[in-house]
């Protein structure tokens, strides 16, 4: 089953949004495989956001993502990578539709609450950056027959 890396950013943690965000993914029908509250080092931030190195917002992005605890997660489900991106909404909360996480909770692009992998390649890379293999749990859930 497809897996993706989802992270509540420092603003989402400070604004007490972890529970509501987890609830949206649970209610949708996705399955949680791993989760932890953690601090991101500068080194990890630069790796995670490597594709943005050299862009004008890169330094602010690294400062922001290392500024406080994040809540890192792995979720699984059919088409979870693209579905999670839809649930998050557009990168800039001002373009994100109501009903999406960024549309409902965010105001500016610099503090847009949540990260989600944008492709299968990114998901594999990001899951491996943030989690050890033993931290990612596969387990049966009784609701699966009612989802698939
Ligand atoms: P996403 O997080 O939707 O995958 P992205 O990968 O293009 O978006 O950018 C990563 C993060 O960088 C994004 O969540 C917020 C920040 N960012 C992107 N574009 C920005 C901009 N023009 N100004 C400030 N921050 C920006
Ligand atoms: Mg991205």
């Amino acid at each position: 089953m497809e897996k993706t890396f989802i992270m509540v950013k420092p603003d989402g943690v400070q604004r007490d949004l972890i529970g509501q965000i987890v609830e949206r993914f649970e209610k949708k029908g996705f399955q949680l495989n791993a989760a932890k509250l953690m601090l991101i080092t500068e080194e990890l931030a630069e790796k995670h956001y490597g594709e943005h190195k050299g862009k004008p917002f890169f330094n602010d992005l690294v400062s922001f993502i290392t500024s406080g605890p994040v809540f890192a997660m792995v979720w699984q489900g059919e088409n979870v990578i693209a579905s999670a991106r839809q649930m998050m909404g557009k990168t800039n909360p001002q373009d994100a539709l109501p009903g999406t996480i960024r549309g409902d909770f965010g105001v500016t692009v610099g503090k847009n609450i949540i990260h989600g992998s944008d492709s299968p390649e990114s998901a594999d890379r990001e899951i491996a950056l943030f989690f050890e293999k033993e931290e990612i749990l596969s387990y049966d859930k009784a609701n699966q027959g009612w989802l698939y």
Side-chain angles (χ1 to χ4, degrees):
M1 194 69 91
E2 190 171 275
K3 287 184 172 60
T4 195
F5 176 68
I6 300 291
M7 171 169 70
V8 182
K9 295 181 180 182
D11 54 335
V13 173
Q14 293 297 328
R15 293 183 50 214
D16 300 318
L17 294 173
I18 293 174
Q20 287 191 58
I21 289 170
V22 168
E23 185 174 25
R24 287 187 183 210
F25 285 90
E26 285 183 319
K27 291 273 160 68
K28 168 76 174 167
F30 293 135
Q31 181 177 351
L32 186 63
N33 300 122
K36 60 184 169 189
L37 190 70
M38 61 179 282
L39 283 169
I40 298 185
T41 61
E42 206 157 302
E43 188 190 354
L44 177 57
E46 291 192 3
K47 275 190 196 156
H48 174 65
Y49 282 128
E51 64 175 305
H52 299 300
K53 206 162 193 159
K55 294 186 185 168
F57 59 85
F58 183 73
N59 289 343
D60 287 346
L61 181 57
V62 170
S63 308
F64 167 61
I65 209 70
T66 58
S67 66
V70 300
F71 193 66
M73 297 167 276
V74 177
W75 286 90
Q76 81 169 23
E78 194 171 301
N79 200 37
V80 67
I81 298 170
S83 292
R85 295 283 299 187
Q86 284 190 325
M87 291 164 65
M88 289 160 50
K90 293 237 171 82
T91 302
N92 188 337
Q94 291 171 22
D95 301 325
L97 293 175
T100 66
I101 292 164
R102 287 163 167 171
D104 286 349
F105 302 130
V107 180
T108 64
V109 70
K111 295 195 170 66
N112 64 2
I113 300 155
I114 186 167
H115 169 86
S117 308
D118 64 7
S119 67
E121 295 71 31
S122 305
D124 287 348
R125 190 179 74 84
E126 292 168 359
I127 289 169
L129 267 181
F130 281 83
F131 288 96
E132 302 293 336
K133 274 211 165 66
E134 312 79 65
E135 293 179 296
I136 303 166
L137 307 185
S138 291
Y139 56 100
D140 293 330
K141 282 192 79 184
N143 63 6
Q144 297 301 291
W146 300 99
L147 287 162
Y148 296 102

